[in-house]
């Protein structure tokens, strides 16, 4: 008898699925998705076939963000990518709450890359923060239009009308949304009118902040959810890439595919010529099946002229970083007020200085990068893939294919993990070029795990040097911080660079964290791009980006400074978190400023029992606090880690983590908790387990047998607490990551008295520190 998996009801009817049926249904689902028509380029995660729902009869579109049908369906258009964070549910809930909809009537579509949607990016923890005003205004527009239509029907003033749970009522009468749409609605709103619409007071919101059914759970649970790796198009070929020895500069000198011709299903080898220079020195084996392509690729002999990047290793990149920091003329200086620290350090009674470093970190998302490409009958190139930043990938694809704006449409599937890797849509380019070489025929390319790693855009290794100056009474009078790493924004989207006060450009995503909310007197924050890293590999955005490594240094250093002046680390921080001057905060995103960061710090110390709980030998609680991702969108986080250090082995066991988070209004409580818990564990993983080194221009670790993220057996209890707030909601995907590593480092110091300044913290490093 087949073993039965007890799963939620299959959307296609049966209550249970056998293991075989489960796999068959997955394959069948993939086979029907990959539409030949641009009109069907949106994806509905609720549907087993991914097809969006269609309006029956008339539909009313108050804005481009949704429509209401005569059957009462409300279909919300989502431009953000779904990678497990339930972003569609969160955004649709914002709109539905303001509209007055019945949640059971709400559906979502993840739309294509049409220009009308504007900038499409899912990163920076921006999605809910940026969507909050837009979708509330859109919901208000529909509510007002429905109320006006009903009032017109009943001959009453619109102010006498109530819109709630999908029903409009007034003067003792009721009409459903669908009935009003059937009567004909034509009310339109200009952008300026939308901005002026009255929004509901926070007290009247009934969906925001409450648990509701997620709109994408059923298909994910049954295996019917469609990810990029599932995309299929009739008649498609499979492409297996043969990667060059370096990311940049290698060029093919010869290809011998004679042995591959014996592989059944092998078609040909394509040498990719890429005008966008995204993929340099690539060859691709094309076959009738994935396995045939893989087998053929292993038999094809390719020779290259290899670039100088093949001689670069991690140590050279770090030494280049140190040299850049040592040159005071290098880098951009951020606007932190009084940046002239030299005379203050010159008169200081004492100073403190430390260097912090981090290793190369890889993404290792569960679903390897992939893309399916083909040319539609109308000549438009279709790209089926999971992607976080369509607006970044489209210009590369257009240049690679030699077409103009509108010549490429990306259909976004669900992402089997993103974490910033799929912000860089470079993996779609070789699939598109292979299809072009085959005359526009459909081609699916999936990179193997080692290839995915080799082609990854890793978090660059980093070096930071921090100094602090004190007067004779041990008051902090100046702070000087310099940070260097490979800059992803400089490499991939230089138009998003910003200008420092000294006129030099910098990558804000490689600087966030260094412009902290502590009041420290004169303050210089200097950031420098590591040109050797950037010429060796393509630096990428990885979950939490620079706050993940900059706050490791800042928060470790603040504890070191507290120790130097003989103060408790929490008390020392609180004394410098003053909501005044540039740290006072501003409307609407950072109301309260440093006082809110002080609040989460105090609360996490209380929640964790910091300084009050009696612990066993070599065990301690460490504290850290950050403001999440950027000063323009601060999410205030207090973190604590209870750590035990085994002096003999050097192993660090994290026994418990606490996070207190002030993100303003919590829109989706369940998802918010899950995101913060996941972020905390990601931070733990990078603190103790994750990291590789660049060897011969590429990451030395290529698979999960040698690259070892956090395992379940090492996962501690994680306590998450949110601060009640009615302020603007800010981001949650990344901020929880940023406090964990410094909290662990500070706990190790408290437990055994050694200070670790490099990530990841390995047992060997702990043993060496204990023996020093």
């Amino acid at each position: 008898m087949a073993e039965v998996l007890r799963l939620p009801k299959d959307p296609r009817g049966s209550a249970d699925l056998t293991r075989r049926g489960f796999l068959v249904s997955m394959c069948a689902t993939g086979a029907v998705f990959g539409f030949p028509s641009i009109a069907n380029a949106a994806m509905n995660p609720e549907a087993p076939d991914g097809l969006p729902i269609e309006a029956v009869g008339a539909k009313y579109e108050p804005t481009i963000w949704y429509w209401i049908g005569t059957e009462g369906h409300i279909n919300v258009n989502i431009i953000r990518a779904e990678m497990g964070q339930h972003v569609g549910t969160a955004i649709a809930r914002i709109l539905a709450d303001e509209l007055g909809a019945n949640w059971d009537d709400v559906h979502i579509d993840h739309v294509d890359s049409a220009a009308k949607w504007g900038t499409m990016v899912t990163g920076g923890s921006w999605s809910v923060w940026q969507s909050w005003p837009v979708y509330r205004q859109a919901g208000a527009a529909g509510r007002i239009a429905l109320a006006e239509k009903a009032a017109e029907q009943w001959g009453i003033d619109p102010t006498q009308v109530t819109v709630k749970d999908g029903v409009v009522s007034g003067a003792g009468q009721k009409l459903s949304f669908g009935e009003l749409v059937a009567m004909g609605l034509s009310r339109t709103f200009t952008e300026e009118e939308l901005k002026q619409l009255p929004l509901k007071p926070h007290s009247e919101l009934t969906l925001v902040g409450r648990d509701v059914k997620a709109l994408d759970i059923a298909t994910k649970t049954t295996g019917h959810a469609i990810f990029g790796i599932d995309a299929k198009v009739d008649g498609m070929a499979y492409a297996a890439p043969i990667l060059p020895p370096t990311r940049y500069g290698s060029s093919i000198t010869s290809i011998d595919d004679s042995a591959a011709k014996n592989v059944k299903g092998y078609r040909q080898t394509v040498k990719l010529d890429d005008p966008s220079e995204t993929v340099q020195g690539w060859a691709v084996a094309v076959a009738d099946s994935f396995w045939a392509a893989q087998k053929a690729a292993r038999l094809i002999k390719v020779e290259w002229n290899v670039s100088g990047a093949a001689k670069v290793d991690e140590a050279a990149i770090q030494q280049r970083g140190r040299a850049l920091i040592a040159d005071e003329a290098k880098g951009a200086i951020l606007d932190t007020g009084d940046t002239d620290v030299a005379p203050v350090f010159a008169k200081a009674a004492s100073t403190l200085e430390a260097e912090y470093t981090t290793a190369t970190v890889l993404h290792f998302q569960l679903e390897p990068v992939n893309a399916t490409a083909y040319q539609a009958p109308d000549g438009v190139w279709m790209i089926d893939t999971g992607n976080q930043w369509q607006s970044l990938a489209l210009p590369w694809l257009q240049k690679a294919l030699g077409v103009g704006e509108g010549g490429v449409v990306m259909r976004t599937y669900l992402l089997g993990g993103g974490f910033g890797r799929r912000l860089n849509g470079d993996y779609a380019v070789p699939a598109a070029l292979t299809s072009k070489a085959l005359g526009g025929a459909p081609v699916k390319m999936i990179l193997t795990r080692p290839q995915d790693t080799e082609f990854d855009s890793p978090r660059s290794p980093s070096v930071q040097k921090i100094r602090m100056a004190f007067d004779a009474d041990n008051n902090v009078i100046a702070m000087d911080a310099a940070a260097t790493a490979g800059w992803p924004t400089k490499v991939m989207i230089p138009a998003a660079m910003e200008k420092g006060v000294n006129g030099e450009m910098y990558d804000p995503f490689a600087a966030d964290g260094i412009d902290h909310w502590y009041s420290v007197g004169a303050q210089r924050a200097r950031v420098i791009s590591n040109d050797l890293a950037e010429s060796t590999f393509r630096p990428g955005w990885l979950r939490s980006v620079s706050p993940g490594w900059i706050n490791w240094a800042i928060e470790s250093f603040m504890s070191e400074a507290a120790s130097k002046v003989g103060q408790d680390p929490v008390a020392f921080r609180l004394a410098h978190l003053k909501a005044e001057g540039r740290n006072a905060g501003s409307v609407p995103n950072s109301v309260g400023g440093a006082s809110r960061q002080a609040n989460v710090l105090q609360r996490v110390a209380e929640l964790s029992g910091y300084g009050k709980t009696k612990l066993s030998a070599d065990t301690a609680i460490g504290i850290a606090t950050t403001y999440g991702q950027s000063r323009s969108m601060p999410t205030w986080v207090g973190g604590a880690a209870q750590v035990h250090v085994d002096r003999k082995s050097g192993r660090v066991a994290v026994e418990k983590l606490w996070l207190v988070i002030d993100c303003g209004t919590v829109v989706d409580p369940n998802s918010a908790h899950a995101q913060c818990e996941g972020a905390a564990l990601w931070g733990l993983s990078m603190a103790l387990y994750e990291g590789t080194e660049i060897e011969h221009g590429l990451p030395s670790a290529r698979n999960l047998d040698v690259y070892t993220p956090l395992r379940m057996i090492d996962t501690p209890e994680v306590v998450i607490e949110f601060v009640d707030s009615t302020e603007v909601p800010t981001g949650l995907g990344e901020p929880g990551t940023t406090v964990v590593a410094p909290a662990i480092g500070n706990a190790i110091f408290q437990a055994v008295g050694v200070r670790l300044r490099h990530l990841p913290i390995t047992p060997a490093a702990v043993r060496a520190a204990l023996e020093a």
Side-chain angles (χ1 to χ4, degrees):
M1 179 181 291
E3 181 181 353
V4 175
L5 289 173
R6 295 296 174 185
L7 298 170
K9 186 175 177 63
D10 180 346
R12 288 184 284 195
S14 64
D16 297 308
L17 293 174
T18 63
R19 289 190 186 277
R20 181 177 181 278
F22 179 74
L23 294 173
V24 169
S25 68
M26 287 174 65
C27 295
T29 299
V32 300
F33 200 65
F35 307 111
S37 168
I38 297 173
N40 291 326
M43 194 272 290
N44 173 12
E46 293 178 279
D49 58 7
L51 285 170
I53 65 168
E54 296 289 339
V56 177
K59 65 180 180 182
Y60 173 53
E61 298 180 82
T63 75
I64 65 169
W65 301 114
Y66 69 115
W67 55 258
I68 307 171
T70 56
E71 294 186 327
H73 293 308
I74 299 155
N75 206 61
V76 183
N77 295 317
I78 307 295
I79 65 172
R80 311 292 176 170
E82 170 55 36
M83 44 193 162
Q85 80 280 41
H86 307 303
V87 67
T89 293
I91 292 173
R93 175 207 309 256
I94 294 168
L95 186 147
D97 211 341
E98 193 66 51
L99 175 63
N102 184 325
W103 184 247
D104 290 338
D105 296 330
V106 178
H107 307 270
I108 57 176
D109 282 346
H110 290 278
V111 298
D112 64 18
S113 60
K116 68 179 181 179
W117 305 115
T119 300
M120 298 181 72
V121 57
T122 310
S125 301
W126 290 341
S127 294
V128 168
W129 173 57
Q130 291 182 342
S131 300
W132 177 256
V134 174
Y135 282 80
R136 287 197 75 184
Q137 291 163 7
R143 171 168 47 80
I144 288 168
L146 290 163
E148 288 177 347
K149 184 67 176 179
E152 177 187 318
Q153 294 294 312
W154 300 327
I156 61 175
D157 191 277
T159 58
Q160 298 176 269
V161 173
T162 300
V163 183
K164 186 178 180 181
D165 293 332
V167 175
V168 182
S169 57
Q173 302 183 73
K174 292 182 179 180
L175 287 168
S176 69
F177 284 10
E179 289 172 325
L180 286 164
V181 170
M183 293 176 183
L185 280 168
S186 58
R187 176 81 151 91
T188 59
F189 300 83
T190 65
E191 286 296 319
E192 283 306 309
E193 286 174 329
L194 286 170
K195 293 176 183 178
Q196 300 302 318
L197 294 178
L199 303 179
K200 292 180 179 179
H202 204 277
S203 59
E204 291 183 13
L205 297 177
T206 58
L207 296 175
V208 166
R210 292 167 174 78
D211 287 323
V212 300
K213 182 186 74 173
L215 300 178
D216 57 3
I217 288 292
T219 53
K220 288 178 180 177
T221 305
T222 61
H224 292 95
I226 303 170
F227 296 82
I229 204 167
D230 300 320
K232 290 188 178 182
V233 178
D234 287 343
M236 72 182 184
Y238 289 81
I242 304 166
L243 271 60
T246 59
R247 176 66 188 248
Y248 297 124
S250 292
S251 57
I252 294 174
T253 58
S254 68
I255 297 175
D256 177 2
D257 71 338
S258 55
K261 292 176 180 177
N262 295 320
V263 175
K264 183 179 180 180
Y266 170 70
R267 298 186 185 181
Q268 67 183 93
T269 297
V270 176
K271 176 184 175 183
L272 298 186
D273 294 312
D274 179 13
S276 75
E277 299 185 342
T278 302
V279 288
Q280 301 174 17
W282 279 46
V284 176
V286 182
D288 294 337
S289 70
F290 173 79
W291 294 113
Q294 292 295 320
K295 185 175 181 180
R298 289 193 290 269
L299 296 172
I300 296 166
K301 297 177 182 179
V302 181
E303 293 184 354
W304 290 270
N305 279 327
V306 182
S307 79
K311 299 178 180 178
V312 177
D313 62 13
E314 186 101 349
I317 292 171
Q318 296 293 56
Q319 282 303 111
R320 177 58 177 162
R322 291 185 179 97
L324 289 165
I325 288 175
D327 186 345
E328 293 284 338
K330 296 290 187 183
I333 298 174
L334 278 61
D335 185 4
T336 54
D338 180 6
T339 62
D340 189 10
V341 298
V344 186
F345 273 88
K347 70 178 182 181
S350 64
T351 62
L352 177 67
E353 181 177 311
E355 179 188 274
Y356 302 87
T357 57
T358 62
T360 299
V361 180
L362 303 171
H363 290 88
F364 265 111
Q365 71 289 339
L366 182 63
E367 178 195 9
V369 292
N370 60 83
T372 301
Y374 57 96
Q375 192 170 28
D378 59 5
V380 173
W381 289 93
M382 304 298 294
I383 309 295
D384 289 11
T385 188
N387 182 254
Q388 292 179 245
W389 198 345
Q390 297 89 329
S391 298
L392 178 63
L394 279 172
W396 298 341
L397 286 161
Q398 290 162 5
K399 188 172 184 180
L401 292 167
V403 298
E405 188 172 348
V408 180
V409 171
M410 295 183 74
R411 182 184 299 119
T412 299
Y413 288 53
L414 300 180
L415 280 58
F419 314 118
R421 174 59 184 100
R422 286 182 163 91
L423 284 166
N424 175 10
D426 51 359
Y427 49 88
V429 171
L433 288 171
T434 306
S435 175
K436 184 178 181 180
L438 300 181
V443 172
K444 183 172 187 174
M445 178 178 289
I446 303 172
L447 273 65
T448 64
R449 175 66 70 202
Q451 289 174 332
D452 189 354
T453 302
E454 211 173 312
F455 192 55
D456 194 9
S457 297
R459 189 177 82 177
S460 170
S462 71
V463 180
Q464 294 180 76
K465 179 181 176 181
I466 306 179
R467 300 188 300 151
M468 186 172 278
F470 305 85
D471 65 16
D473 296 320
N474 281 332
N475 296 309
V476 178
I477 54 176
M479 187 169 179
D480 185 19
T484 181
W487 288 357
T489 307
K490 175 186 174 185
V491 172
M492 287 188 267
I493 184 166
M497 298 272 279
E498 297 182 6
K499 185 179 288 187
V501 294
N502 61 342
E504 296 293 323
M505 303 302 291
Y506 70 93
D507 179 351
F509 302 102
D512 285 332
I514 202 167
D515 54 347
H516 52 71
W517 292 75
Y518 292 112
S519 296
V520 290
Q523 180 184 356
R524 184 174 67 156
R526 185 165 58 106
V527 289
I528 312 123
S529 68
N530 190 318
D531 51 358
L532 183 59
E534 293 161 2
S535 64
T536 302
F537 58 89
R538 178 177 280 190
W541 302 278
L542 182 143
R543 190 174 187 177
S544 83
V545 203
S546 66
W549 51 273
I550 288 181
N551 282 315
W552 152 246
I554 295 295
E555 284 299 295
S556 295
F557 187 83
M558 289 300 287
S559 286
E560 292 204 55
S563 180
K564 172 182 168 54
V565 299
Q567 293 185 25
D568 173 78
V570 171
F572 181 79
R573 285 174 171 79
L574 291 173
H576 295 91
L577 286 170
K578 301 174 182 177
E580 57 189 33
R582 68 184 295 269
N583 295 326
S586 60
V587 175
N589 300 313
S590 59
V591 174
S595 64
R596 288 172 71 184
Q597 188 165 350
N599 179 56
V600 295
L601 173 60
Q602 288 177 303
R603 176 56 188 152
V604 82
E606 175 186 302
L607 183 67
S608 64
Y610 171 82
K612 297 178 181 178
T613 303
K614 187 174 181 179
L615 301 170
S616 60
D618 302 330
T619 303
I621 294 173
I623 295 284
T625 179
T626 70
Y627 61 93
Q629 292 314 106
S630 66
R631 286 184 71 96
S632 62
M633 185 209 63
T635 293
W636 316 101
V637 185
Q642 183 173 308
V643 165
H644 174 75
V645 180
D646 185 317
R647 288 179 178 269
K648 184 176 180 180
S649 68
R651 182 177 180 273
V652 176
V654 177
E655 299 174 340
K656 194 169 184 177
L657 291 172
W658 296 264
L659 268 68
V660 174
I661 300 165
D662 180 355
C663 61
T665 299
V666 178
V667 172
D668 187 339
N670 185 60
S671 176
H673 187 278
Q675 286 199 67
C676 293
E677 190 172 56
L681 295 177
W682 186 283
L684 168 57
S685 189
M686 291 192 290
L688 298 183
Y689 304 102
E690 289 193 54
T692 185
E693 292 190 351
I694 299 298
E695 284 185 1
H696 305 297
L698 294 171
S700 60
R702 307 284 175 83
N703 216 327
L704 292 168
D705 55 342
V706 289
Y707 191 89
T708 55
L710 177 70
R711 282 4 187 201
M712 289 182 69
I713 194 172
D714 297 313
T715 301
E717 179 184 356
V718 181
V719 177
I720 306 290
E721 180 177 290
F722 293 98
V723 174
D724 287 335
S725 176
T726 58
E727 298 293 348
V728 169
T730 52
L732 283 177
E734 300 164 283
T737 301
T738 62
V739 294
V740 176
I744 291 171
N746 293 335
I748 293 170
F749 179 79
Q750 296 278 42
V752 294
V754 296
R755 175 60 63 180
L756 283 304
R757 299 188 180 92
H758 176 76
L759 293 181
I761 299 169
T762 64
V766 175
R767 288 198 308 272
L770 287 167
E771 293 167 1

